[in-house]
Amino acid sequence: MVFFFLLLVLSALETTASQSIGVCYGRVANNLPPAKEVIDLYKAYNIGIMRIYDPDPSTIEALRGSNIQLVVGIPNEDLQSLATAAAATNWVQRNIQNYSQDVKFRYIVVGNEIDPNDALAQFVLPAMQNIYAALASANLQSQIKVSTAIQLSLLGSSYPPSSGAFSPSSSSYITPIVRFLANNGAPLLANVYTYFSYISDTTNIDLSYALFTSSTIVVRDGKYEYHNLFDASLGALYAALEKVGAPNLEVVVSESGWPSYGGVAATVDNARVYYRNLMDHVAHGTPNRPNQPIETYLFAMFDENQKGPAATERHFGLFTPDKHHKYNN
């Protein structure tokens, strides 16, 4: 049964774009296998999409001819330079065009979890626009979408979900980005972690609500009924997007996971339950967007021993660095 679960978790059954399941390949570690072995592991478990956080040449090179789709990130520290058109053109030529004949790029993610109050926030949209223009010059803008990945802390209110709204500082940051995405047919990427919401308020949030295991309705919000925190979190984000004029914008869950060690409720059993239920659940949509499968990326492929400061940050992997299945025991 455990082996069947492992196959379920690690099988990215890609039937349509909206039903895709990918796995994030973070590399904040000094003990991970070589890129070719990582690609072979993705192939072995039929994982059809990989998200990386920078255009690592060894990883992209190893993906040539693999049919694995790639979501490639632009690190936050590079945003300011890419707000210059020439730099963005050079970035696309070097990291995308050089490989585009035999690497299947899916998204370019311009920045990850940028705080609207951070000095870098002013460069996100210009960098997105410049990357898009460079793709268009290479006739790749329809094939590769440009987006950014947000964290749900941009919401100033989230309970009940229908009251979801971006905070004032976040709204001025995200609204023009959302408009850019809608105009170009690109989704908004959002990192969604019920684990962190749970541990921040264990008094009011039941573990079963965070793990998709509640047998009862936990939140009634008008005509919508929420059994789990994942749906409620997305419901709040959908409501916030509606309030800034984007009621139909697709949201891709660009990270979601549960740690297996290192903190409150961080156990192998809880992680196993979370991943299993997440995989089952995203195929069916949410109460306010039913029957709309959610493209979702499991975080992460490996434990990363140089992450922190919290110990849990080092234990989100589906595999240990020696390629051992964490849930196959």
Side-chain angles (χ1 to χ4, degrees), residues 3 5-12 22-26 29 31-33 37-47 50 258-260 268 271 275 298-305 313-329:
F3 182 70
F5 160 75
L6 185 67
L7 292 177
L8 175 66
V9 164
L10 296 178
S11 293
V23 179
C24 301
Y25 171 35
N31 58 352
L32 298 181
E37 293 183 20
V38 174
I39 304 310
D40 288 343
L41 199 59
Y42 272 70
K43 290 178 181 178
Y45 287 94
N46 193 33
I47 302 171
M50 170 188 288
W258 196 282
S260 59
V268 168
Y275 285 118
L298 310 183
F299 188 89
M301 192 66 171
F302 298 104
D303 287 342
E304 298 173 71
N305 68 347
E313 295 282 351
R314 298 186 285 276
H315 298 279
F316 273 87
L318 300 173
F319 289 91
T320 59
D322 62 0
K323 300 184 288 186
H324 174 72
H325 307 158
K326 283 171 61 175
Y327 305 110
N328 192 23
N329 53 45

Short mmCIF file of all heavy atoms in Angstrom, two decimals, residues 3 5-12 22-26 29 31-33 37-47 50 258-260 268 271 275 298-305 313-329:
data_model
loop_
_atom_site.label_atom_id
_atom_site.label_comp_id
_atom_site.label_asym_id
_atom_site.label_seq_id
_atom_site.Cartn_x
_atom_site.Cartn_y
_atom_site.Cartn_z
N PHE A 3 3.90 1.50 -1.17
CA PHE A 3 4.51 1.63 -2.48
C PHE A 3 3.52 2.21 -3.47
O PHE A 3 3.87 3.06 -4.30
CB PHE A 3 5.02 0.28 -2.97
CG PHE A 3 5.72 0.36 -4.30
CD1 PHE A 3 6.95 0.99 -4.41
CD2 PHE A 3 5.14 -0.16 -5.44
CE1 PHE A 3 7.60 1.09 -5.63
CE2 PHE A 3 5.78 -0.07 -6.66
CZ PHE A 3 7.01 0.55 -6.75
N PHE A 5 1.13 4.24 -2.75
CA PHE A 5 1.05 5.68 -2.44
C PHE A 5 2.21 6.43 -3.08
O PHE A 5 2.05 7.50 -3.65
CB PHE A 5 1.09 5.91 -0.93
CG PHE A 5 1.50 7.31 -0.57
CD1 PHE A 5 0.61 8.35 -0.72
CD2 PHE A 5 2.78 7.57 -0.15
CE1 PHE A 5 1.00 9.65 -0.44
CE2 PHE A 5 3.18 8.86 0.13
CZ PHE A 5 2.28 9.89 -0.01
N LEU A 6 3.42 5.84 -3.00
CA LEU A 6 4.58 6.50 -3.57
C LEU A 6 4.40 6.72 -5.07
O LEU A 6 4.69 7.78 -5.61
CB LEU A 6 5.83 5.68 -3.30
CG LEU A 6 7.14 6.32 -3.75
CD1 LEU A 6 7.45 7.55 -2.93
CD2 LEU A 6 8.28 5.32 -3.67
N LEU A 7 3.90 5.70 -5.73
CA LEU A 7 3.66 5.83 -7.17
C LEU A 7 2.63 6.91 -7.44
O LEU A 7 2.74 7.67 -8.39
CB LEU A 7 3.20 4.49 -7.75
CG LEU A 7 4.25 3.38 -7.78
CD1 LEU A 7 3.63 2.10 -8.32
CD2 LEU A 7 5.45 3.77 -8.62
N LEU A 8 1.62 6.99 -6.58
CA LEU A 8 0.58 8.02 -6.75
C LEU A 8 1.18 9.40 -6.63
O LEU A 8 0.93 10.29 -7.43
CB LEU A 8 -0.52 7.82 -5.70
CG LEU A 8 -1.62 8.87 -5.66
CD1 LEU A 8 -2.44 8.83 -6.94
CD2 LEU A 8 -2.52 8.65 -4.45
N VAL A 9 2.01 9.59 -5.58
CA VAL A 9 2.60 10.90 -5.33
C VAL A 9 3.54 11.31 -6.44
O VAL A 9 3.58 12.46 -6.85
CB VAL A 9 3.34 10.90 -3.97
CG1 VAL A 9 4.27 12.09 -3.85
CG2 VAL A 9 2.34 10.92 -2.83
N LEU A 10 4.31 10.37 -6.96
CA LEU A 10 5.36 10.72 -7.89
C LEU A 10 4.97 10.55 -9.34
O LEU A 10 5.80 10.68 -10.23
CB LEU A 10 6.61 9.89 -7.58
CG LEU A 10 7.22 10.18 -6.20
CD1 LEU A 10 8.41 9.28 -5.96
CD2 LEU A 10 7.63 11.63 -6.08
N SER A 11 3.72 10.23 -9.60
CA SER A 11 3.27 10.10 -10.99
C SER A 11 2.62 11.41 -11.42
O SER A 11 1.60 11.79 -10.88
CB SER A 11 2.26 8.96 -11.13
OG SER A 11 2.89 7.73 -10.89
N ALA A 12 3.24 12.09 -12.32
CA ALA A 12 2.65 13.34 -12.83
C ALA A 12 1.82 12.99 -14.04
O ALA A 12 2.33 12.91 -15.15
CB ALA A 12 3.74 14.34 -13.17
N GLY A 22 3.50 18.76 -11.28
CA GLY A 22 4.95 18.81 -11.41
C GLY A 22 5.61 18.71 -10.06
O GLY A 22 4.95 18.66 -9.03
N VAL A 23 6.93 18.69 -10.07
CA VAL A 23 7.71 18.64 -8.83
C VAL A 23 8.82 19.68 -8.91
O VAL A 23 9.53 19.78 -9.92
CB VAL A 23 8.31 17.24 -8.57
CG1 VAL A 23 9.14 17.24 -7.28
CG2 VAL A 23 7.20 16.19 -8.48
N CYS A 24 8.96 20.46 -7.85
CA CYS A 24 9.99 21.48 -7.77
C CYS A 24 11.35 20.85 -7.47
O CYS A 24 11.46 19.99 -6.59
CB CYS A 24 9.66 22.49 -6.66
SG CYS A 24 8.08 23.34 -6.86
N TYR A 25 12.36 21.28 -8.19
CA TYR A 25 13.72 20.80 -7.99
C TYR A 25 14.56 21.94 -7.44
O TYR A 25 15.15 22.71 -8.17
CB TYR A 25 14.27 20.26 -9.31
CG TYR A 25 15.75 19.93 -9.34
CD1 TYR A 25 16.41 19.39 -8.23
CD2 TYR A 25 16.50 20.14 -10.49
CE1 TYR A 25 17.75 19.09 -8.27
CE2 TYR A 25 17.85 19.84 -10.55
CZ TYR A 25 18.47 19.31 -9.43
OH TYR A 25 19.82 19.02 -9.48
N GLY A 26 14.55 22.07 -6.10
CA GLY A 26 15.39 23.06 -5.43
C GLY A 26 16.79 22.48 -5.23
O GLY A 26 16.95 21.28 -5.06
N ALA A 29 21.53 22.89 -1.44
CA ALA A 29 22.13 21.73 -0.77
C ALA A 29 23.49 21.47 -1.40
O ALA A 29 23.77 21.89 -2.52
CB ALA A 29 21.23 20.50 -0.93
N ASN A 31 24.75 18.18 -1.36
CA ASN A 31 24.87 16.71 -1.41
C ASN A 31 23.88 16.08 -2.39
O ASN A 31 23.52 14.91 -2.24
CB ASN A 31 24.67 16.13 -0.01
CG ASN A 31 23.31 16.49 0.59
OD1 ASN A 31 22.57 17.30 0.03
ND2 ASN A 31 23.00 15.91 1.74
N LEU A 32 23.43 16.84 -3.38
CA LEU A 32 22.44 16.32 -4.32
C LEU A 32 23.11 15.56 -5.47
O LEU A 32 24.27 15.81 -5.79
CB LEU A 32 21.59 17.47 -4.87
CG LEU A 32 20.78 18.26 -3.85
CD1 LEU A 32 19.96 19.34 -4.54
CD2 LEU A 32 19.87 17.34 -3.05
N PRO A 33 22.38 14.65 -6.09
CA PRO A 33 22.94 13.91 -7.21
C PRO A 33 23.16 14.81 -8.42
O PRO A 33 22.57 15.89 -8.52
CB PRO A 33 21.89 12.83 -7.50
CG PRO A 33 20.64 13.30 -6.85
CD PRO A 33 21.02 14.19 -5.73
N GLU A 37 21.33 12.41 -13.24
CA GLU A 37 20.66 11.43 -12.37
C GLU A 37 19.31 11.95 -11.90
O GLU A 37 18.35 11.19 -11.74
CB GLU A 37 21.54 11.08 -11.18
CG GLU A 37 22.81 10.33 -11.56
CD GLU A 37 23.64 9.93 -10.35
OE1 GLU A 37 23.08 9.89 -9.22
OE2 GLU A 37 24.84 9.68 -10.53
N VAL A 38 19.22 13.26 -11.68
CA VAL A 38 17.95 13.86 -11.28
C VAL A 38 16.93 13.72 -12.42
O VAL A 38 15.79 13.31 -12.19
CB VAL A 38 18.14 15.34 -10.91
CG1 VAL A 38 16.78 16.00 -10.63
CG2 VAL A 38 19.05 15.48 -9.70
N ILE A 39 17.35 14.02 -13.62
CA ILE A 39 16.46 13.88 -14.77
C ILE A 39 16.02 12.43 -14.93
O ILE A 39 14.85 12.15 -15.21
CB ILE A 39 17.12 14.39 -16.06
CG1 ILE A 39 17.61 15.83 -15.92
CG2 ILE A 39 16.16 14.26 -17.24
CD1 ILE A 39 16.59 16.80 -15.38
N ASP A 40 16.95 11.51 -14.75
CA ASP A 40 16.60 10.09 -14.86
C ASP A 40 15.57 9.70 -13.80
O ASP A 40 14.69 8.87 -14.07
CB ASP A 40 17.86 9.22 -14.69
CG ASP A 40 18.78 9.29 -15.89
OD1 ASP A 40 18.32 9.72 -16.97
OD2 ASP A 40 19.96 8.91 -15.75
N LEU A 41 15.64 10.31 -12.61
CA LEU A 41 14.67 10.03 -11.56
C LEU A 41 13.29 10.56 -11.94
O LEU A 41 12.27 9.90 -11.73
CB LEU A 41 15.15 10.62 -10.24
CG LEU A 41 14.54 10.08 -8.95
CD1 LEU A 41 14.78 8.58 -8.81
CD2 LEU A 41 15.10 10.83 -7.74
N TYR A 42 13.25 11.75 -12.50
CA TYR A 42 11.99 12.30 -13.00
C TYR A 42 11.39 11.36 -14.05
O TYR A 42 10.19 11.07 -14.04
CB TYR A 42 12.19 13.69 -13.61
CG TYR A 42 12.07 14.83 -12.63
CD1 TYR A 42 13.04 15.05 -11.65
CD2 TYR A 42 11.00 15.72 -12.70
CE1 TYR A 42 12.95 16.11 -10.77
CE2 TYR A 42 10.89 16.79 -11.82
CZ TYR A 42 11.87 16.98 -10.85
OH TYR A 42 11.77 18.03 -9.96
N LYS A 43 12.23 10.90 -14.97
CA LYS A 43 11.75 10.00 -16.01
C LYS A 43 11.24 8.69 -15.42
O LYS A 43 10.20 8.16 -15.84
CB LYS A 43 12.87 9.70 -17.01
CG LYS A 43 13.28 10.86 -17.88
CD LYS A 43 14.43 10.43 -18.78
CE LYS A 43 14.92 11.54 -19.68
NZ LYS A 43 16.08 11.10 -20.51
N ALA A 44 11.97 8.16 -14.44
CA ALA A 44 11.62 6.86 -13.87
C ALA A 44 10.23 6.88 -13.23
O ALA A 44 9.53 5.87 -13.23
CB ALA A 44 12.66 6.44 -12.83
N TYR A 45 9.84 8.04 -12.70
CA TYR A 45 8.53 8.15 -12.06
C TYR A 45 7.53 8.94 -12.88
O TYR A 45 6.49 9.36 -12.37
CB TYR A 45 8.70 8.76 -10.66
CG TYR A 45 9.31 7.77 -9.71
CD1 TYR A 45 10.68 7.75 -9.50
CD2 TYR A 45 8.53 6.80 -9.08
CE1 TYR A 45 11.26 6.82 -8.65
CE2 TYR A 45 9.09 5.87 -8.23
CZ TYR A 45 10.46 5.88 -8.03
OH TYR A 45 11.03 4.95 -7.20
N ASN A 46 7.85 9.12 -14.16
CA ASN A 46 6.91 9.77 -15.08
C ASN A 46 6.48 11.15 -14.60
O ASN A 46 5.32 11.55 -14.72
CB ASN A 46 5.67 8.87 -15.29
CG ASN A 46 4.82 9.34 -16.46
OD1 ASN A 46 5.34 9.86 -17.44
ND2 ASN A 46 3.52 9.15 -16.35
N ILE A 47 7.40 11.87 -14.00
CA ILE A 47 7.13 13.24 -13.57
C ILE A 47 7.33 14.14 -14.79
O ILE A 47 8.44 14.30 -15.28
CB ILE A 47 8.05 13.67 -12.41
CG1 ILE A 47 7.88 12.71 -11.23
CG2 ILE A 47 7.74 15.11 -11.99
CD1 ILE A 47 8.89 12.92 -10.12
N MET A 50 9.07 19.93 -14.37
CA MET A 50 10.04 20.31 -13.34
C MET A 50 10.03 21.82 -13.18
O MET A 50 9.97 22.56 -14.16
CB MET A 50 11.45 19.85 -13.77
CG MET A 50 12.58 20.39 -12.90
SD MET A 50 14.23 19.99 -13.59
CE MET A 50 14.31 18.24 -13.24
N TRP A 258 4.59 19.49 2.57
CA TRP A 258 4.53 19.30 4.02
C TRP A 258 5.85 18.67 4.47
O TRP A 258 6.29 17.69 3.88
CB TRP A 258 3.36 18.38 4.37
CG TRP A 258 2.96 18.39 5.81
CD1 TRP A 258 3.58 17.74 6.86
CD2 TRP A 258 1.85 19.09 6.38
NE1 TRP A 258 2.93 17.99 8.03
CE2 TRP A 258 1.86 18.81 7.78
CE3 TRP A 258 0.84 19.90 5.86
CZ2 TRP A 258 0.88 19.33 8.64
CZ3 TRP A 258 -0.11 20.43 6.72
CH2 TRP A 258 -0.09 20.13 8.09
N PRO A 259 6.47 19.22 5.52
CA PRO A 259 7.76 18.66 5.96
C PRO A 259 7.60 17.35 6.72
O PRO A 259 6.59 17.13 7.38
CB PRO A 259 8.32 19.76 6.86
CG PRO A 259 7.10 20.41 7.43
CD PRO A 259 6.05 20.37 6.34
N SER A 260 8.61 16.52 6.63
CA SER A 260 8.56 15.20 7.28
C SER A 260 9.29 15.18 8.62
O SER A 260 9.27 14.16 9.32
CB SER A 260 9.18 14.14 6.36
OG SER A 260 10.52 14.48 6.06
N VAL A 268 6.62 12.01 8.93
CA VAL A 268 6.49 11.28 7.68
C VAL A 268 5.03 10.94 7.42
O VAL A 268 4.54 11.05 6.28
CB VAL A 268 7.35 10.00 7.71
CG1 VAL A 268 7.01 9.08 6.54
CG2 VAL A 268 8.83 10.37 7.68
N ALA A 271 3.13 14.06 6.27
CA ALA A 271 3.54 14.43 4.91
C ALA A 271 2.94 13.46 3.89
O ALA A 271 2.47 13.87 2.83
CB ALA A 271 5.06 14.45 4.81
N TYR A 275 0.45 14.84 0.88
CA TYR A 275 0.74 14.69 -0.55
C TYR A 275 -0.30 13.84 -1.26
O TYR A 275 -0.74 14.15 -2.36
CB TYR A 275 2.14 14.12 -0.77
CG TYR A 275 3.25 15.11 -0.52
CD1 TYR A 275 4.19 14.91 0.48
CD2 TYR A 275 3.36 16.26 -1.29
CE1 TYR A 275 5.21 15.82 0.71
CE2 TYR A 275 4.37 17.18 -1.07
CZ TYR A 275 5.30 16.95 -0.07
OH TYR A 275 6.29 17.86 0.15
N LEU A 298 4.49 19.96 -6.53
CA LEU A 298 4.86 19.47 -5.21
C LEU A 298 6.24 20.02 -4.84
O LEU A 298 7.15 20.04 -5.66
CB LEU A 298 4.90 17.93 -5.20
CG LEU A 298 3.68 17.19 -5.76
CD1 LEU A 298 3.86 15.69 -5.60
CD2 LEU A 298 2.40 17.66 -5.10
N PHE A 299 6.35 20.44 -3.60
CA PHE A 299 7.64 20.93 -3.10
C PHE A 299 8.12 19.97 -2.01
O PHE A 299 7.48 19.85 -0.98
CB PHE A 299 7.49 22.35 -2.54
CG PHE A 299 8.81 22.97 -2.19
CD1 PHE A 299 9.52 23.69 -3.13
CD2 PHE A 299 9.36 22.79 -0.93
CE1 PHE A 299 10.75 24.25 -2.81
CE2 PHE A 299 10.59 23.34 -0.61
CZ PHE A 299 11.28 24.06 -1.55
N ALA A 300 9.20 19.29 -2.27
CA ALA A 300 10.14 19.43 -3.39
C ALA A 300 10.67 18.05 -3.71
O ALA A 300 10.32 17.07 -3.06
CB ALA A 300 11.30 20.35 -3.00
N MET A 301 11.54 17.97 -4.70
CA MET A 301 12.08 16.68 -5.10
C MET A 301 12.97 16.09 -4.01
O MET A 301 12.87 14.90 -3.69
CB MET A 301 12.87 16.83 -6.41
CG MET A 301 13.24 15.52 -7.07
SD MET A 301 11.76 14.64 -7.66
CE MET A 301 12.52 13.31 -8.60
N PHE A 302 13.86 16.91 -3.44
CA PHE A 302 14.84 16.42 -2.47
C PHE A 302 14.81 17.25 -1.18
O PHE A 302 14.48 18.44 -1.21
CB PHE A 302 16.26 16.51 -3.04
CG PHE A 302 16.50 15.68 -4.26
CD1 PHE A 302 16.55 16.27 -5.52
CD2 PHE A 302 16.68 14.31 -4.16
CE1 PHE A 302 16.78 15.51 -6.65
CE2 PHE A 302 16.91 13.54 -5.29
CZ PHE A 302 16.95 14.14 -6.55
N ASP A 303 15.21 16.63 -0.09
CA ASP A 303 15.57 17.39 1.10
C ASP A 303 16.78 18.26 0.75
O ASP A 303 17.69 17.82 0.04
CB ASP A 303 15.95 16.45 2.25
CG ASP A 303 14.76 15.75 2.86
OD1 ASP A 303 13.62 16.19 2.65
OD2 ASP A 303 14.96 14.73 3.55
N GLU A 304 16.79 19.49 1.28
CA GLU A 304 17.87 20.43 0.96
C GLU A 304 18.56 20.85 2.25
O GLU A 304 18.01 21.61 3.04
CB GLU A 304 17.30 21.64 0.22
CG GLU A 304 16.66 21.28 -1.12
CD GLU A 304 15.94 22.45 -1.77
OE1 GLU A 304 16.63 23.38 -2.24
OE2 GLU A 304 14.70 22.44 -1.78
N ASN A 305 19.79 20.38 2.44
CA ASN A 305 20.44 20.49 3.74
C ASN A 305 21.00 21.87 4.06
O ASN A 305 21.48 22.10 5.18
CB ASN A 305 21.55 19.44 3.88
CG ASN A 305 22.73 19.68 2.96
OD1 ASN A 305 22.65 20.49 2.03
ND2 ASN A 305 23.83 18.98 3.19
N GLU A 313 12.54 23.40 7.02
CA GLU A 313 12.88 23.80 5.65
C GLU A 313 13.79 22.79 4.96
O GLU A 313 13.85 22.73 3.73
CB GLU A 313 13.57 25.18 5.66
CG GLU A 313 12.69 26.31 6.14
CD GLU A 313 11.72 26.79 5.07
OE1 GLU A 313 11.84 26.35 3.92
OE2 GLU A 313 10.84 27.60 5.41
N ARG A 314 14.48 21.99 5.74
CA ARG A 314 15.42 21.02 5.18
C ARG A 314 14.79 19.66 4.93
O ARG A 314 15.48 18.72 4.53
CB ARG A 314 16.63 20.88 6.11
CG ARG A 314 17.42 22.17 6.28
CD ARG A 314 18.69 21.98 7.07
NE ARG A 314 18.46 21.83 8.50
CZ ARG A 314 18.30 22.85 9.34
NH1 ARG A 314 18.34 24.10 8.91
NH2 ARG A 314 18.09 22.63 10.63
N HIS A 315 13.46 19.54 5.16
CA HIS A 315 12.84 18.22 5.12
C HIS A 315 11.53 18.20 4.33
O HIS A 315 10.58 17.51 4.71
CB HIS A 315 12.60 17.72 6.55
CG HIS A 315 13.87 17.55 7.33
ND1 HIS A 315 14.68 16.45 7.21
CD2 HIS A 315 14.48 18.38 8.21
CE1 HIS A 315 15.73 16.59 7.99
NE2 HIS A 315 15.64 17.75 8.61
N PHE A 316 11.49 18.89 3.21
CA PHE A 316 10.30 18.88 2.35
C PHE A 316 10.43 17.91 1.19
O PHE A 316 9.52 17.79 0.37
CB PHE A 316 10.03 20.29 1.80
CG PHE A 316 9.19 21.15 2.70
CD1 PHE A 316 9.78 21.92 3.70
CD2 PHE A 316 7.81 21.20 2.57
CE1 PHE A 316 9.01 22.72 4.53
CE2 PHE A 316 7.03 22.00 3.40
CZ PHE A 316 7.63 22.77 4.38
N GLY A 317 11.54 17.23 1.06
CA GLY A 317 11.78 16.41 -0.11
C GLY A 317 10.93 15.15 -0.18
O GLY A 317 10.63 14.52 0.84
N LEU A 318 10.57 14.77 -1.40
CA LEU A 318 9.98 13.46 -1.63
C LEU A 318 11.06 12.38 -1.60
O LEU A 318 10.77 11.21 -1.32
CB LEU A 318 9.27 13.42 -2.98
CG LEU A 318 8.12 14.41 -3.18
CD1 LEU A 318 7.63 14.38 -4.61
CD2 LEU A 318 6.98 14.11 -2.22
N PHE A 319 12.30 12.81 -1.86
CA PHE A 319 13.45 11.92 -1.83
C PHE A 319 14.52 12.50 -0.92
O PHE A 319 14.63 13.72 -0.76
CB PHE A 319 14.07 11.77 -3.23
CG PHE A 319 13.24 10.99 -4.21
CD1 PHE A 319 12.33 11.63 -5.03
CD2 PHE A 319 13.39 9.61 -4.32
CE1 PHE A 319 11.57 10.92 -5.95
CE2 PHE A 319 12.63 8.90 -5.24
CZ PHE A 319 11.73 9.54 -6.05
N THR A 320 15.34 11.62 -0.38
CA THR A 320 16.58 12.05 0.26
C THR A 320 17.61 12.27 -0.84
O THR A 320 17.44 11.80 -1.96
CB THR A 320 17.06 11.00 1.26
OG1 THR A 320 17.27 9.76 0.56
CG2 THR A 320 16.05 10.79 2.39
N PRO A 321 18.71 12.94 -0.53
CA PRO A 321 19.70 13.21 -1.58
C PRO A 321 20.32 11.96 -2.21
O PRO A 321 20.85 12.04 -3.32
CB PRO A 321 20.76 14.04 -0.84
CG PRO A 321 19.99 14.74 0.23
CD PRO A 321 18.98 13.73 0.69
N ASP A 322 20.25 10.83 -1.52
CA ASP A 322 20.77 9.60 -2.12
C ASP A 322 19.70 8.88 -2.95
O ASP A 322 19.86 7.70 -3.29
CB ASP A 322 21.33 8.67 -1.05
CG ASP A 322 20.29 8.20 -0.03
OD1 ASP A 322 19.10 8.60 -0.16
OD2 ASP A 322 20.65 7.45 0.88
N LYS A 323 18.62 9.60 -3.25
CA LYS A 323 17.52 9.13 -4.11
C LYS A 323 16.66 8.06 -3.43
O LYS A 323 15.96 7.30 -4.10
CB LYS A 323 18.05 8.64 -5.46
CG LYS A 323 18.80 9.72 -6.26
CD LYS A 323 19.24 9.24 -7.62
CE LYS A 323 20.39 8.26 -7.52
NZ LYS A 323 20.93 7.88 -8.86
N HIS A 324 16.70 8.02 -2.12
CA HIS A 324 15.86 7.09 -1.36
C HIS A 324 14.45 7.65 -1.23
O HIS A 324 14.27 8.83 -0.92
CB HIS A 324 16.45 6.88 0.04
CG HIS A 324 15.57 6.06 0.94
ND1 HIS A 324 15.39 4.72 0.79
CD2 HIS A 324 14.83 6.43 2.02
CE1 HIS A 324 14.58 4.27 1.73
NE2 HIS A 324 14.21 5.28 2.49
N HIS A 325 13.44 6.83 -1.48
CA HIS A 325 12.04 7.24 -1.35
C HIS A 325 11.74 7.44 0.14
O HIS A 325 11.73 6.48 0.91
CB HIS A 325 11.11 6.17 -1.88
CG HIS A 325 11.40 5.70 -3.27
ND1 HIS A 325 10.98 4.48 -3.73
CD2 HIS A 325 12.09 6.29 -4.27
CE1 HIS A 325 11.39 4.34 -4.99
NE2 HIS A 325 12.06 5.41 -5.34
N LYS A 326 11.44 8.62 0.54
CA LYS A 326 11.20 8.88 1.97
C LYS A 326 9.96 8.17 2.48
O LYS A 326 9.86 7.89 3.67
CB LYS A 326 11.08 10.39 2.23
CG LYS A 326 12.40 11.10 2.24
CD LYS A 326 12.24 12.60 2.29
CE LYS A 326 11.53 13.08 3.51
NZ LYS A 326 11.51 14.56 3.57
N TYR A 327 9.00 7.89 1.61
CA TYR A 327 7.75 7.29 2.06
C TYR A 327 7.65 5.80 1.74
O TYR A 327 6.60 5.20 1.89
CB TYR A 327 6.57 8.05 1.44
CG TYR A 327 6.66 9.52 1.75
CD1 TYR A 327 6.96 10.45 0.76
CD2 TYR A 327 6.51 9.97 3.05
CE1 TYR A 327 7.08 11.79 1.05
CE2 TYR A 327 6.64 11.31 3.36
CZ TYR A 327 6.92 12.22 2.36
OH TYR A 327 7.04 13.55 2.66
N ASN A 328 8.75 5.21 1.34
CA ASN A 328 8.77 3.78 0.98
C ASN A 328 9.42 2.98 2.09
O ASN A 328 10.37 2.22 1.88
CB ASN A 328 9.51 3.57 -0.34
CG ASN A 328 9.30 2.17 -0.87
OD1 ASN A 328 8.33 1.52 -0.55
ND2 ASN A 328 10.21 1.73 -1.73
N ASN A 329 8.93 3.20 3.32
CA ASN A 329 9.43 2.41 4.45
C ASN A 329 8.36 2.39 5.54
O ASN A 329 7.33 2.98 5.40
CB ASN A 329 10.76 2.99 4.98
CG ASN A 329 10.66 4.47 5.31
OD1 ASN A 329 9.70 4.92 5.93
ND2 ASN A 329 11.67 5.24 4.89
#
